[in-house]
């Protein structure tokens, strides 16, 4: 506490010597004492500042991971990135200043590598997840056993905070194995480390998503539920912002958050929105579930990248449910973005090169959804 008071005195002395217009008052809350008594100087000076948290982000090479690493590293935190594949992590290096993004090779079956990744950190994020089973890892290995190993390491090294990213509809009794294992994973990590913050994101959209890109792509033709599943898509950057806030707000420990978008859509409504934005009509052929599921399973075994799987077909028949007991964006003081305001930015690449359009230029045009379409030829 003494050193904290000394720091505040020193800061006030600096403030007195600077000119009135450049004075930024810093409160005592800039020095945080963590649960285990570690002092952390919370900084607000940008990517080259000294101080800040040390965060480990498992699953940083994925879609959400890049936005989380970016938000942490650009405010001067040290980010430990456990990775599996050299090429998959390269883009994360430039998110932070030199030496601020630290890469460590990790395997979910190698406990030493997991412990090595968490032991110097004061917060650990687990973003690891898979939409489909692979030949080496099934859902259970990734969502339950993997999560358990990370939580064990967090408990062993008494890391101050642990944030576990689960999924919407996570439920140990679900008919989908993905949702079932996500639900069991939540219970396992809470059991090992009760202060775990659980985050259940809705289907996320953004540049690298598997939602809008799938609907806009030419290969998306087969569905089984006539696209009638209901969901509340959420902007990936809103979720990353929520995860960033959890680092500095210790009241989020032991809580469960469901992060979903402000509007509910059926998949068919989303497809219509996408078609309007890309100025093309994509065909969607409905194949009955009893035919589609075995085909999808075969396909999933034959190829090793994300395309379809039997469980993805099962998930088409499950609407997104909101848990009324869970906290939401409102409790984090975040206003989630509207999907229809962002489709232009994310989908303009799918338009034909023969024309382009400009987004609405004024507030009035935005209200009236007026856009100017320019046809070149
Ligand atoms: P991605 O599929 O884009 O990324 C998954 C990450 O997990 C990658 O970094 C991947 O590493 C890692 N990973 C997967 N399997 C293993 C394994 N066996 N061992 C080690 N690492 C592994 O996921 P998102 O970023 O989209 O999602 C983040 C989290 O949010 C996940 O837990 C996901 O289930 C959950 N979620 C996502 C939704 C969405 O719409 N995207 C919706 C609801 C929940 P590598 O790059 O090496 O393969």
């Amino acid at each position: 506490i003494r050193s904290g008071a000394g720091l505040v005195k020193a800061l006030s002395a600096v403030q007195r010597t600077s000119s009135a217009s450049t004075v930024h008052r810093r409160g005592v809350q800039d020095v945080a004492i963590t649960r285990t008594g570690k002092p952390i100087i919370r900084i607000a000076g940008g990517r080259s500042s000294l101080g800040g948290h040390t965060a480990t982000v498992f699953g940083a090479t994925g879609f959400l991971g890049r936005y989380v690493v970016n938000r942490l590293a650009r405010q001067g935190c040290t980010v430990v990135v456990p990775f599996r594949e050299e090429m998959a992590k390269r883009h994360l290096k430039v998110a932070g200043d030199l030496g601020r993004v630290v890469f460590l090779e990790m395997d979910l079956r190698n406990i030493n590598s997991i412990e090595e990744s968490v032991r110097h950190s004061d917060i650990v994020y687990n973003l690891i997840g898979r939409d489909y089973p692979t030949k080496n890892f099934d859902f259970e290995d990734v969502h339950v056993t993997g999560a358990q190993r990370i939580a064990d390491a967090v408990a062993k090294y008494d890391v101050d905070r642990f944030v576990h990213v689960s999924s919407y509809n996570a439920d140990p009794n679900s008919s989908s194995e993905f949702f079932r294992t996500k639900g069991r994973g939540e219970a396992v990590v809470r059991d090992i480390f009760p202060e775990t913050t659980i985050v259940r994101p809705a289907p996320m959209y953004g540049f690298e998503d598997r939602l809008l890109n799938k609907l806009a792509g030419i290969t998306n033709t087969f569905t089984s539920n006539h696209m009638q599943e209901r969901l509340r898509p959420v902007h990936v950057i809103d979720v990353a912002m929520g995860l960033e806030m959890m680092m500095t707000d210790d009241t989020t420990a032991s809580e469960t958050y469901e992060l979903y978008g402000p509007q509910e859509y059926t998949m068919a409504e989303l497809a219509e929105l996408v078609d309007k934005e890309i100025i093309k009509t994509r065909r969607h052929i409905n194949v009955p579930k009893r035919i589609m599921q075995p085909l999808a399973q075969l396909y999933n075994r034959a190829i090793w990248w994300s395309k379809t799987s039997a469980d993805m077909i099962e998930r088409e028949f499950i609407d997104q449910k909101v848990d009324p007991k869970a906290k939401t964006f409102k409790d984090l003081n975040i206003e989630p973005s509207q999907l229809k305001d962002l489709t232009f930015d994310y989908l303009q690449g799918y338009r034909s090169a023969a024309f382009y359009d400009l987004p609405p230029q004024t507030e009035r045009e935005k209200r009236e959804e007026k856009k100017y379409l320019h046809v070149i030829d």
Side-chain angles (χ1 to χ4, degrees):
I1 291 167
R2 253 192 206 160
S3 61
L7 186 83
V8 174
K9 261 190 201 163
L11 281 172
S12 351
V14 172
Q15 282 173 2
R16 276 197 298 276
T17 51
S18 19
S19 75
S21 60
T22 56
V23 166
H24 295 290
R25 283 187 65 83
R26 291 184 136 219
V28 225
Q29 64 267 33
D30 284 356
V31 180
I33 307 294
T34 67
R35 184 176 58 82
T36 54
K38 221 189 276 174
I40 291 180
I41 300 171
R42 286 182 177 155
I43 43 175
R47 76 204 299 268
S48 303
S49 336
L50 287 175
H53 289 259
T54 304
T56 300
V57 184
F58 286 97
T61 48
F63 169 42
L64 173 62
R66 71 167 62 207
Y67 296 97
V68 174
V69 173
N70 177 269
R71 294 198 75 88
L72 301 182
R74 75 180 188 192
Q75 52 164 292
C77 291
T78 303
V79 187
V80 179
V81 174
F83 71 97
R84 300 196 288 175
E85 213 269 314
E86 281 287 334
M87 297 297 274
K89 50 108 170 133
R90 294 191 317 165
H91 60 285
L92 299 171
K93 185 82 191 165
V94 289
D97 209 349
L98 265 185
R100 281 309 169 113
V101 182
V102 183
F103 297 108
L104 283 176
E105 195 163 356
M106 188 270 320
D107 189 297
L108 216 41
R109 290 164 296 198
N110 182 335
I111 294 173
N112 276 348
S113 70
I114 298 178
E115 290 182 353
E116 201 57 40
S117 307
V118 306
R119 70 199 188 106
H120 297 291
S121 297
D122 44 76
I123 180 163
V124 170
Y125 291 94
N126 177 23
L127 272 49
I128 289 183
R130 256 297 167 259
D131 279 355
Y132 54 97
T134 58
K135 82 175 175 332
N136 291 318
F137 294 92
D138 59 19
F139 285 127
E140 179 84 16
D141 295 334
V142 179
H143 300 150
V144 186
T145 320
Q148 179 203 327
R149 287 187 186 142
I150 293 174
D152 276 337
V154 165
K156 181 172 171 185
Y157 287 95
D158 204 10
V159 178
D160 298 298
R161 297 286 311 277
F162 179 43
V163 180
H164 174 72
V165 177
S166 179
S167 169
Y168 66 100
N169 286 355
D171 173 7
N173 302 316
S174 173
S175 58
S176 146
E177 201 188 344
F178 176 87
F179 293 144
R180 227 169 30 234
T181 49
K182 280 285 191 186
R184 299 222 339 263
E186 287 184 4
V188 165
V189 294
R190 268 275 160 80
D191 198 34
I192 298 169
F193 193 76
E195 292 89 357
T196 305
T197 307
I198 289 174
V199 179
R200 298 184 188 137
M204 292 182 277
Y205 62 89
F207 271 117
E208 307 83 4
D209 70 15
R210 295 180 292 275
L211 181 68
L212 302 181
N213 283 310
K214 201 168 164 193
L215 291 170
I218 44 168
T219 52
N220 177 53
T221 40
F222 300 107
T223 56
S224 288
N225 188 22
H226 297 275
M227 305 185 104
Q228 288 313 299
E229 66 269 35
R230 307 192 72 82
L231 27 115
R232 289 174 159 270
V234 65
H235 191 203
V236 65
I237 295 177
D238 291 341
V239 177
M241 210 191 292
L243 292 175
E244 178 196 2
M245 285 178 75
M246 285 170 193
M247 179 176 71
T248 47
D249 184 355
D250 286 343
T251 62
T252 56
S254 316
E255 300 287 352
T256 300
Y257 285 83
E258 285 215 347
L259 304 182
Y260 48 84
Q263 202 175 330
E264 189 180 59
Y265 296 88
T266 61
M267 197 58 105
E269 284 164 354
L270 274 181
E272 200 184 314
L273 205 75
V274 168
D275 280 358
K276 211 169 122 202
E277 203 65 82
I278 64 176
I279 324 182
K280 278 178 191 149
T281 311
R282 296 293 189 215
R283 286 179 62 215
H284 303 287
I285 303 162
N286 205 72
V287 180
K289 185 177 169 184
R290 64 176 190 287
I291 300 172
M292 193 60 191
Q293 249 182 344
L295 280 180
Q297 194 162 0
L298 272 180
Y299 205 59
N300 178 218
R301 287 207 185 131
I303 60 168
W304 55 92
W305 61 93
S306 167
K307 210 70 216 158
T308 184
S309 74
D311 197 71
M312 284 186 190
I313 310 295
E314 185 62 44
R315 272 176 267 158
E316 282 186 25
F317 291 83
I318 307 174
D319 291 340
Q320 182 178 344
K321 280 186 224 81
V322 170
D323 177 358
K325 290 199 292 287
K327 293 193 163 182
T328 61
F329 274 125
K330 213 166 149 212
D331 300 283
L332 294 168
N333 269 333
I334 296 175
E335 176 100 35
S337 326
Q338 284 283 353
L339 177 119
K340 59 178 177 355
D341 295 340
L342 294 161
T343 46
F344 175 80
D345 302 273
Y346 290 134
L347 293 170
Q348 58 177 322
Y350 285 95
R351 291 181 175 195
S352 158
F355 53 80
Y356 63 96
D357 80 352
L358 298 171
Q361 303 292 308
T362 64
E363 278 304 315
R364 192 169 149 224
E365 284 166 14
K366 253 187 216 165
R367 272 199 308 277
E368 292 167 4
E369 283 194 36
K370 197 161 149 194
K371 289 180 184 171
Y372 295 99
L373 199 70
H374 295 255
V375 179
I376 295 172
D377 317 308

